[in-house]
Amino acid sequence: MEFVGIEKLSLVDFDHHLSATLFTPGCNFKCPFCHNSPLVTSFKNEIIPFDDVLSFLKKRVRVLDAVVISGGEPTLHKDLLDKIMAIKNLGYLIKLDTNGTNPEMIKELVNLKLIDYVAMDIKNSLDKYSLAAGYTGDLSNVKESIEYLKENHIDYEFRTTLVKEFHSLEDIKQMGVLLNGAKRIRLQLFKDSDSCIQRGLHPVDKRIAKEFTIELKNHIEDVSLRGYED
């Protein structure tokens, strides 16, 4: 596996940290609202040699304090562990973005202390997961990852990108039951763009998004909006 994209400086991908974000190719989901469609639907991205990645990160050790591994879906790649180990050896904090379909990889990374934070996307209620994720496979691995993170082996957040066409209050109620006892969830503003897999989708209105947060607070300790202007 090689990385196919890099954001050299981010203030928003890892809360309270200056980070670089590395993108992996390929995903087993095809979420209609995904804004990284070139990483999901085609493999024409320019490969960044890993030596170049390490060289860049070595030069930024005193500027950045964290690296975010995103995608695509990073845990599809068997050599992800080796890549993260090499980056971790430079002294960086590591955040992993994942859809949770490879709980064994997540557990191994946690057990080896190679990652410091996990952000797991929760696409929807289980009844409507296939609609929001573009995925019709078994969700047992997703549920296993949810339960593992809820056990607080590592600091984490669940996050859901709110899309008007996919998320109703009833869906949010079911998500609350699924995530009951979780530490944290962020409800994210959807923004349509040319890079989305499906165009013409709409964000959930802020007023309704706030109603969603009220519902989720019945089940989750820390609930807030991300990307919505105050």
Side-chain angles (χ1 to χ4, degrees), residues 43-72:
F43 298 94
K44 297 179 181 179
N45 302 78
E46 182 178 353
I47 290 173
I48 305 172
F50 190 56
D51 286 345
D52 291 354
V53 172
L54 289 181
S55 177
F56 166 76
L57 292 176
K58 287 176 183 176
K59 294 176 182 177
R60 296 299 190 274
V61 164
R62 299 185 186 279
V63 178
L64 305 173
D65 63 325
V67 175
V68 178
I69 310 296
S70 192

Side-chain angles (χ1 to χ4, degrees), residues 107-141:
K107 292 175 185 178
E108 186 171 14
L109 290 168
V110 171
N111 290 337
L112 292 173
K113 301 185 184 305
L114 292 178
I115 55 177
D116 302 278
Y117 194 87
V118 175
M120 179 177 166
D121 292 311
I122 304 298
K123 304 302 181 180
N124 209 325
S125 64
L126 292 181
D127 287 346
K128 289 175 65 174
Y129 227 85
S130 60
L131 176 66
Y135 175 79
T136 57
D138 180 39
L139 294 175
S140 58
N141 283 348

